[in-house]
Amino acid sequence: MKRAYYNNTILGFLTEDSNSILGQLSLNHTNHSLEELQRNAWIKQIEILKEELKGIDGSIYFEFQIPRMGKRVDNIIIVEDCVFVVEFKVGDDTYGKHAELQVIDYCLDLQNFHEGSHFVKLIPVLISTNAKFSITDIDKVVELKDVAKCNKNGINNIIEKFTQFSNHKIDIVKWENSIYKPTPTIVEAAQALYKGHKVEEISRSDAGAINLSETSNYINGVIRNSKFNRKKSICFVTGVPGAGKTLAGLNIANQRMNADRDEHAVFLSGNGPLVEVLREALARDLVLLSKRNGERINKKEALRRTSTFIQNIHHFRDEYLKQNVEPTEKVVVFDEAQRAWTKKQVSSFMKRKKGIENFDMSEPEFLIDVMNRHEDWCTIVCLIGGGQEINTGEAGLEEWINAFEVNYKDWEIHFSTTIANSPDYIKSETQRKWLIENGISETDLHLSVSVRSFRSEQVSAFVHELLELNLDNTRKLYSKIKKLFPIFLTRDIEVAKNWLRTESKGTERTGLIASSGARRLKAFGYDVKNEISASYWFLNSSEDIRSSYFMEDIATEFDIQGLEIDRICLLWGANFYLNDNEWKYQNFKGSKWQNINQEVSRNYLKNTYRVLLTRARQGMIIFIPKGSDIDHTRPNKFYEGTYNYLKEIGIEELF
């Protein structure tokens, strides 16, 4: 994939006619509404760089694509062993903080995801053409803790400073042809897909991307076939942890939304915070994009538009509960479909919240019934996860299959071969046999390659072994991941906060998380019962006290499940602690703890900590409080066993 609008050797750039360079840039630029503004910026950049790069040997790139971020770097200049990542602010007389963070983010993206940039010297450069001269701290810039800043006359000087001690040259051909293997957060993925990027551009270009593409291609084939033959179909998609089921679902919904305007595809999730964050992120992007394009879309209109793409499954259900009409949507993607509610749970909810007596369908059955109202065709895509159930009343895959077995036998069922081969998805052998005999088994409906953690794909395995108290296996896995995915331990919350602030660069997001049952963290100033705004916590800047960066509001498993941030501090609560080499499970009621004895409730609590321990992308620090001699709700035994266990694994303590 050609990632730059224009690239050349610096000598070639200097000798090439400026109009020829401008012509190539214009030819590759598709956003015609920005033509004049962008054209003037390019003319100025070309003029400045032709003057400043005289006598320098290297390569230059204009508008170098960073697909994961849905943006392009103004320039990349490679000289000796340095990759200068340049952000131009033509006409500016100050160095804006936002621009500084943006150019550091570009460097981090290349460092983390572009194979040829993993071990090179990346130099973020901000050029505000009319600003005053700025002193550069070389060490901080190389560490990506600061930005090299200059005006239109300072670029030559910056290049000289950073290359004066070079002892080798970057292999340009090898660098250009290096694999780009991004692993975007689900927020970044949704933004990029909504802007029109393909899933191949924003996901890893190895087996993970191939797997995602094959799954998407198969589902698109089912949809086209259903449409052509006027029939109804469903696809059950499974995947290993971190394989990108949600990304696959968003991709399908986005593709079908753009494939044919009469299809009206939608992505549905019962995860309220995930829906809120994704909608808000897309709406903010849409407002900014419309402003750049000379349009004026307000936030309310932007939210209305993005809401047609991503919806809360319960709102979708309630809308079609009101009236017995054919739905607008022809293609619906249900995220975490195994978590749809049982008949008992729906019936209880309908009675309590809606005043509807004797509601006699499970959520899967009702959702199928809604789509079955179509006279011609429709397709349902069910994304099936597992191992992170944290709520009661979840139906599981059995309830979906039961609905087809009893009431909807004319539907065409496509399912992952993993479902047929594993009792983890359908416990009833009779039901599995019915599915095999009446459905179509397909390997492409299983996402078998994890694409989540670019630091280490063994973090999930490490967390599993840790929670199962398999000390030897946990130690071995920790020794493998600790350099790539740092984990620390502390008894001092201020030490934890300082580590998060020190380690993070650019706009890498940090925050505090804890179990919703860790009620006695209130003694340390953190009340898990305080509701947070998920969209503010996940999306707002470091200046906003409601954002995760500020480390005042604490997110629980209900806020963060399905989402990730770069680095977290997990505040470990007394509701789940180790004593005599076994986990103890507690609920806080009134003014004291009560033991949890039901096995299903214990599993929910253990899965809560599984969710919390797997939310970080780049590292975490675990805060274990110290017990109190004067507070009967916080004795030492609630903390020391867990602390000693983590130390025994080999996790280093920070003081």
Side-chain angles (χ1 to χ4, degrees), residues 519-563:
R519 299 290 297 280
R520 292 307 296 138
L521 289 173
K522 192 174 181 181
F524 303 93
Y526 297 100
D527 188 356
V528 294
K529 298 302 284 182
N530 280 346
E531 286 190 17
I532 69 167
S533 164
S535 56
Y536 293 161
W537 197 87
F538 277 100
L539 301 175
N540 286 17
S541 73
S542 56
E543 282 99 46
D544 193 318
I545 61 169
R546 300 164 297 181
S547 75
S548 67
Y549 293 114
F550 231 78
M551 293 184 251
E552 284 190 4
D553 287 339
I554 193 161
T556 71
E557 70 274 17
F558 298 115
D559 302 308
I560 204 168
Q561 189 177 35
L563 294 156

Side-chain angles (χ1 to χ4, degrees), residues 265-528:
V266 67
F267 178 89
L268 299 176
S269 174
N271 183 336
L274 175 68
V275 172
E276 178 191 338
V277 170
L278 291 180
R279 277 179 167 180
E280 179 72 18
L282 295 182
R284 291 183 186 187
D285 257 14
L286 190 55
V287 169
L288 284 173
L289 188 63
S290 68
K291 187 178 179 183
R292 290 193 197 113
N293 290 345
E295 300 173 45
R296 285 290 172 181
I297 296 176
N298 60 34
K299 183 73 170 296
K300 186 177 179 181
E301 170 63 14
L303 278 169
R304 187 193 66 76
R305 290 193 193 181
T306 59
S307 295
T308 62
F309 176 43
I310 297 171
Q311 293 182 32
N312 188 303
I313 195 168
H314 304 310
H315 296 166
F316 177 87
R317 175 201 64 201
D318 292 350
E319 180 65 29
Y320 290 108
L321 185 67
K322 293 176 193 172
Q323 45 190 340
N324 187 20
V325 295
E326 185 176 300
T328 308
E329 299 80 7
K330 290 284 194 177
V331 178
V332 291
V333 180
F334 293 129
D335 193 27
E336 296 287 350
Q338 82 286 354
R339 303 184 67 179
W341 290 351
T342 60
K343 188 184 294 186
K344 182 180 177 183
Q345 183 81 355
V346 180
S347 177
S348 172
F349 174 83
M350 292 298 182
K351 189 174 181 179
R352 285 182 292 109
K353 300 290 186 179
K354 307 291 181 183
I356 300 173
E357 298 282 349
N358 304 318
F359 189 87
D360 199 32
M361 282 193 269
S362 66
E363 196 164 41
E365 188 177 358
F366 179 70
L367 293 169
I368 296 165
D369 181 70
V370 168
M371 295 304 291
N372 198 56
R373 295 173 190 174
H374 283 292
E375 289 186 9
D376 49 2
W377 75 278
C378 67
T379 299
I380 296 173
V381 180
C382 287
L383 309 175
I384 309 294
Q388 293 191 349
E389 291 78 11
I390 55 176
N391 290 307
T392 56
E394 293 174 355
L397 184 52
E398 288 91 345
E399 199 63 58
W400 287 91
I401 304 304
N402 185 59
F404 287 109
E405 191 176 356
V406 175
N407 294 317
Y408 305 99
K409 293 181 179 178
D410 58 328
W411 280 59
E412 187 175 272
I413 304 171
H414 300 255
F415 61 94
S416 154
T417 49
T418 309
I419 292 171
N421 299 332
S422 172
D424 292 342
Y425 293 98
I426 302 175
K427 293 179 175 60
S428 164
E429 193 173 330
T430 305
Q431 202 177 46
R432 278 206 310 278
K433 186 180 178 185
W434 182 90
L435 180 61
I436 292 166
E437 290 174 352
N438 292 275
I440 301 164
S441 177
E442 177 52 54
T443 54
D444 283 346
L445 290 178
H446 180 67
L447 293 162
S448 57
V449 183
S450 176
V451 295
R452 175 184 288 158
S453 176
F454 64 89
R455 289 294 180 191
S456 173
E457 291 173 4
Q458 293 179 303
V459 174
S460 292
F462 163 76
V463 169
H464 174 78
E465 297 296 338
L466 184 152
L467 291 173
E468 294 305 311
L469 302 178
N470 297 327
L471 182 59
D472 288 344
N473 288 348
T474 309
R475 276 176 172 162
K476 286 174 187 173
L477 284 165
Y478 178 65
S479 69
K480 291 179 182 178
I481 69 172
K482 63 182 180 182
K483 286 185 179 177
L484 295 169
F485 187 88
I487 303 173
F488 291 100
L489 179 65
T490 189
R491 312 302 295 272
D492 186 334
I493 192 64
E494 292 306 319
V495 168
K497 288 181 176 181
N498 189 54
W499 180 80
L500 291 175
R501 293 187 186 109
T502 303
E503 289 297 307
S504 293
K505 303 163 187 172
T507 59
E508 289 178 337
R509 189 164 286 275
T510 59
L512 308 181
I513 65 174
S515 161
S516 60
R519 299 290 297 280
R520 292 307 296 138
L521 289 173
K522 192 174 181 181
F524 303 93
Y526 297 100
D527 188 356
V528 294

Side-chain angles (χ1 to χ4, degrees), residues 172-222:
I172 298 296
V173 174
K174 189 176 178 182
W175 186 87
E176 279 186 4
N177 292 297
S178 291
I179 295 171
Y180 180 61
K181 296 166 63 174
T183 55
T185 66
I186 201 61
V187 174
E188 291 167 340
Q191 289 171 318
L193 289 170
Y194 199 71
K195 285 175 183 170
H197 288 282
K198 295 178 180 178
V199 72
E200 293 86 356
E201 294 175 347
I202 61 166
S203 63
R204 287 165 36 165
S205 53
D206 56 2
I210 294 168
N211 198 190
L212 276 167
S213 296
E214 287 174 344
T215 301
S216 295
N217 290 340
Y218 184 86
I219 294 169
N220 276 318
V222 171

